[in-house]
């Protein structure tokens, strides 16, 4: 029974909770006890008798007649029961990197037999045991061979969630100081296969916040919580520490399923009249109830987040607003963003008041040009600013899309703006204005600020701005930050070509770990009357991971912008200063062809270029340290924005 229904969470995989069980050759009873009685959604159960060793069978002769000691026939459950209610647990004794050749060969044979059986049963996933030593090359090689042949079965590698503080010697008994390193080497040996994920063993003590944050960008599928990681509340029931609760809430938000493991360690208070029920009650039920309680107390998703659920970690090619005319649906989406237009209205109102003193408000008329007027939201915001400030205004609405111009004409007629608004159906770069403007208003910004050619458009349009005229926006800056983003990297890799690794994508970032604070890249200021105006840019940046974070894999860079509309009125999506409740822009993502492993003691050095040609503008990017990456998108060969 799922953990509960909660506003916006009902679509999340995390509403299912499993239980880890011992081997049983009576699978129907195992399911009945744990699912019907216990209330869990699935069992994490061994598929093979733990005493089985292929070499012993051979030694006794008769490997041809021997029936493999699986947990019963495939017929004991229906195919849908196997698929929905059982996650296979590969024998935990296997050690494919053992010095003992017999054990190593037995392990390899057994692993392949169990995966073959799980595939036969149409299981959705199998749990691989934690690698035994620091070297896992042979284990990873065998798993990688298996992955090549899988279609639907997912493999979860069990990894303990540990990270000792660099100086302390009290690492785990296996000598593991940072389990992320173990996972990273295993997944790199398996070529970043998207069918390989992580199941984290959550311990009673947790690593630092920043260290835990790395896992949010990895493909974590399950969090296995041992009963001895639970505390006891005042009523004697199991509960988790505040830090554990926060971690589990983060997992729920990232579609990670919780699995309860271990024997009950809480002596629960007995209810007076529930003797009959007590005999039926599952020994781990109180742990499940607590996990369900944590799930149900999650805040409902805000309305806008629910609308955007389908866009989470979904790669979209950026708009080409100069080359292509936008469709009605795109305009519709942008126009719904009321916060953005409130900010524009505030900026225009301040500019009008600065431009025209109160005593001259009845005689002076401000000429305002909206360049790239679309279907008119900026025209409306500007006229509302004029009404609010009591200033007289004349508006030119310049728009190159003939389809949007039709809507503009109807809007002007419907609102009775004929005497105030003049519509110009023309590209702003080629229009000859009959008079100079006091204020130039535009919404040409992309997710990375200048990536929809705002600088080129406004340079072309500023010739009809008075020397002391105001541009709204007056400046904008792009920002980047390194991220771990396994899902995005795998989605790009699935395209199997270079071009997709050299394209910047607009994406609603979700399963992403932000590894260091963002830094500014390029800034543009308008108007720019300099005779040496040049929109080419180059920036070298150096990022340092927090010391307690541990190492991380950088799959690419998240990009944002922040803009000053006018004076103290700003608009942007850079996380630390983002305009609240605004949804017109998702961040941009610049992938790396080969992910770069970064350690806290070695800075990440990144280079970004904005290049301009006669017919296009493009970005090039590369990493020079700690390991050099190839140059991405040379000459705009894969991704560019057309002029």
């Amino acid at each position: 029974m799922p953990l509960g229904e909660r506003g916006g969470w009902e679509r999340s995989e995390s509403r299912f909770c499993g239980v880890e069980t011992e081997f049983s050759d009576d699978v129907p009873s195992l399911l009945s006890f744990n699912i019907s009685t216990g209330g869990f959604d699935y069992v994490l159960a061994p598929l093979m008798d733990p005493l089985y060793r292929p070499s012993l069978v051979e030694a006794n002769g008769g490997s041809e007649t021997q029936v493999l000691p699986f947990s019963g026939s495939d017929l004991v459950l229906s195919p849908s029961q196997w698929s929905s209610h059982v996650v296979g647990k590969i024998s935990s004794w296997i050690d494919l990197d053992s010095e003992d050749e017999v054990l190593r060969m037995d392990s390899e044979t057994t692993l392949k037999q169990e995966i073959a059986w799980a595939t036969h049963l149409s299981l959705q996933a199998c749990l691989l045991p934690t690698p035994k030593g620091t070297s896992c090359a042979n284990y990873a090689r065998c798993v990688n061979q298996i992955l090549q042949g899988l279609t639907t079965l997912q493999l979860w590698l069990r990894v303990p969630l540990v990270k000792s503080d660099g100086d302390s010697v009290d690492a785990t008994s296996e000598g593991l100081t940072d389990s992320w390193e173990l996972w990273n080497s295993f997944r790199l040996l398996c070529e970043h296969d998207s069918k390989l994920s992580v199941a984290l063993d959550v311990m009673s003590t947790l690593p630092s916040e920043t260290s835990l944050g790395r896992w949010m960008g990895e493909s974590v599928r399950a969090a296995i919580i041992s009963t001895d990681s639970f505390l006891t509340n005042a009523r004697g029931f199991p509960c988790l520490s505040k830090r554990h609760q926060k971690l589990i809430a983060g997992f729920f938000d990232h579609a990670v399923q919780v699995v309860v493991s271990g024997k009950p360690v809480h002596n629960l208070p007995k209810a007076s009249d529930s003797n009959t029920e007590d005999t039926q009650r599952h020994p781990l039920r109180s742990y499940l109830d607590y996990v369900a309680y944590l799930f149900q107390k999650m805040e409902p998703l805000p309305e806008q987040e629910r609308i955007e659920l389908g866009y989470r970690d979904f790669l979209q090619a950026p708009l080409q607003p100069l080359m292509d005319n936008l469709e009605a649906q795109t305009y519709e989406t942008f126009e719904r963003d009321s916060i953005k237009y409130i900010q524009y209205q505030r900026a225009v109102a301040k500019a009008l008041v600065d431009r025209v003193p109160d005593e001259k408000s009845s005689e002076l008329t401000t000429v305002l040009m909206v360049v790239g007027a679309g279907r008119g939201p900026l025209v409306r915001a500007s006229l509302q600013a004029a009404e609010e400030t009591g200033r007289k205004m004349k508006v030119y609405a310049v728009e190159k899309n003939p389809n949007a111009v039709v809507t503009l004409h109807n809007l002007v007629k419907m609102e009775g703006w004929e005497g105030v608004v003049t519509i110009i159906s023309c590209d702003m770069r080629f229009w000859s204005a009959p008079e100079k403007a006091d204020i130039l208003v535009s919404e040409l910004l992309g997710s990375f600020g200048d990536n929809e050619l705002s600088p080129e458009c406004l340079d072309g349009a500023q010739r009809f701005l008075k020397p002391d005229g105001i541009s709204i926006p007056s400046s904008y800056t792009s920002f980047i930050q390194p991220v771990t983003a396994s899902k995005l990297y795998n989605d790009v890799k699935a395209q199997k070509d270079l071009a997709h690794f050299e394209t910047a994508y607009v994406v609603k970032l979700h399963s992403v770990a932000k590894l260091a604070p963002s830094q500014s890249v390029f800034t543009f200021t308008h108007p720019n009357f300099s005779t040496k105006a040049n929109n080419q840019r180059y920036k070298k940046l150096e990022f340092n991971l927090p010391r307690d974070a541990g190492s991380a894999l950088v799959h690419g860079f998240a990009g944002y912008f922040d803009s000053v509309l006018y004076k103290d009125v700003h608009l942007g999506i850079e996380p630390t200063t983002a305009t609240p409740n605004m949804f017109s822009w998702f961040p941009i993502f610049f992938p790396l062809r080969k992910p770069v492993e970064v350690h806290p003691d070695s800075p990440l050095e990144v280079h970004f270029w904005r290049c301009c040609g006669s017919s296009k503008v493009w970005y090039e990017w590369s990493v020079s340290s700690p390991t050099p990456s190839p140059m991405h998108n040379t000459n705009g060969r894969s991704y560019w924005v057309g002029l």
Side-chain angles (χ1 to χ4, degrees), residues 124-434:
Q124 289 189 41
C126 271
L127 180 74
L128 299 169
T130 309
K132 298 285 186 290
T134 46
S135 167
C136 57
N138 192 48
Y139 188 4
R141 178 190 72 87
C142 292
V143 168
N144 202 32
Q145 285 181 344
I146 290 165
L147 287 164
Q148 306 310 307
L150 297 181
T151 48
T152 54
L153 182 70
Q154 294 277 324
L155 299 183
W156 300 351
L157 182 70
R158 189 170 198 156
V159 175
L161 184 55
V162 291
K163 157 83 171 70
S164 70
D165 303 330
D167 314 319
S168 67
V169 201
D170 61 7
T172 60
S173 50
E174 293 91 14
L176 195 60
T177 53
D178 185 357
S179 57
W180 179 88
E181 304 265 7
L182 179 68
W183 156 245
N184 188 48
S185 57
F186 199 95
R187 79 70 187 273
L188 290 175
L189 288 163
C190 291
E191 305 174 277
H192 246 94
D193 197 294
S194 58
K195 296 184 291 295
L196 178 67
S197 309
V198 194
L200 288 171
D201 259 321
V202 179
M203 309 298 193
S204 52
T205 54
L206 292 176
S208 69
E209 287 290 316
T210 42
S211 170
L212 290 173
R214 297 176 298 174
W215 291 103
M216 296 306 167
E218 300 287 5
S219 53
V220 182
R221 286 288 166 272
I224 303 170
I225 309 181
S226 169
T227 49
D228 52 22
S229 293
F230 285 80
L231 306 173
T232 308
N233 69 11
R235 293 172 50 229
F237 285 91
C239 63
L240 287 169
S241 73
K242 285 277 191 287
R243 286 198 63 213
H244 279 81
Q245 289 180 44
K246 187 178 176 186
L247 176 66
I248 299 303
F251 283 151
F252 285 151
D253 190 27
H254 286 77
V256 176
Q257 299 177 358
V258 169
V259 176
V260 177
S261 167
K263 301 213 166 355
V265 290
H266 290 74
N267 296 316
L268 297 177
K270 289 269 189 288
S272 51
D273 298 321
S274 60
N275 295 338
T276 52
E277 193 189 315
D278 261 6
T279 55
Q280 289 293 306
R281 190 172 169 84
H282 191 287
L284 299 179
R285 182 62 196 234
S286 54
Y287 300 92
L288 171 64
D289 289 343
Y290 183 76
V291 173
Y293 157 73
L294 291 182
F295 184 82
Q296 286 159 21
K297 76 170 193 167
M298 296 279 285
E299 286 293 319
L301 284 176
E303 181 63 26
Q304 189 54 38
E305 278 290 322
R306 288 200 214 187
I307 293 167
E308 292 171 2
L309 270 178
Y311 291 103
R312 281 182 174 180
D313 299 318
F314 177 74
L315 300 168
Q316 302 176 73
L319 295 171
Q320 291 270 13
L322 266 187
M323 283 170 50
D324 308 331
N325 287 325
L326 300 184
E327 296 173 0
Q329 183 64 54
T330 310
Y331 284 123
E332 178 81 27
T333 304
F334 292 151
E335 289 163 11
R336 278 208 333 268
D337 196 346
S338 57
I339 303 293
K340 174 173 67 175
Y341 296 112
I342 288 168
Q343 292 299 86
Y344 266 100
Q345 185 175 328
R346 286 182 58 215
V348 173
K350 287 195 172 208
L352 284 171
V353 169
D354 284 356
R355 200 87 190 151
V356 179
D358 285 347
E359 59 275 14
K360 296 200 173 174
S361 61
S362 55
E363 49 193 86
L364 285 181
T365 300
T366 303
V367 176
L368 180 141
M369 292 179 182
V370 177
V371 289
R375 303 195 307 183
L378 281 184
V379 175
R380 184 186 297 279
S382 301
L383 289 170
Q384 283 171 341
E387 189 178 330
E388 173 196 327
T389 56
R391 299 311 192 258
K392 293 169 75 176
M393 196 160 72
K394 178 180 185 181
V395 177
Y396 288 92
V398 186
E399 175 52 52
K400 73 171 180 63
N401 181 352
N403 306 309
V405 168
V406 174
T407 314
L408 268 176
H409 275 288
N410 285 323
L411 178 71
V412 166
K413 199 177 289 181
M414 191 175 72
E415 296 287 353
W417 294 339
E418 288 94 343
V420 185
V421 178
T422 306
I423 297 168
I424 309 294
S425 182
C426 181
D427 187 319
M428 69 184 82
R429 294 170 298 170
F430 313 122
W431 177 48
S432 298

Side-chain angles (χ1 to χ4, degrees), residues 213 481-484 509 512-517 558 560 575 587:
Q481 73 181 146
V483 293
T484 295
L509 299 175
V512 163
K514 296 169 179 176
L515 302 174
Y560 317 97

Side-chain angles (χ1 to χ4, degrees), residues 87-139:
V87 169
K89 183 180 164 190
I90 303 301
S91 294
S92 53
W93 60 263
I94 68 169
D95 182 359
L96 284 93
D97 290 276
S98 170
E99 298 289 323
D100 179 337
E101 189 177 356
V102 175
L103 174 55
R104 192 169 71 246
M105 299 308 291
D106 272 358
S107 298
E108 190 166 330
T109 304
T110 305
L111 173 63
K112 289 181 175 171
Q113 287 171 338
E114 293 187 37
I115 295 288
W117 181 243
T119 307
H120 174 70
L121 297 174
S122 302
L123 299 192
Q124 289 189 41
C126 271
L127 180 74
L128 299 169
T130 309
K132 298 285 186 290
T134 46
S135 167
C136 57
N138 192 48
Y139 188 4

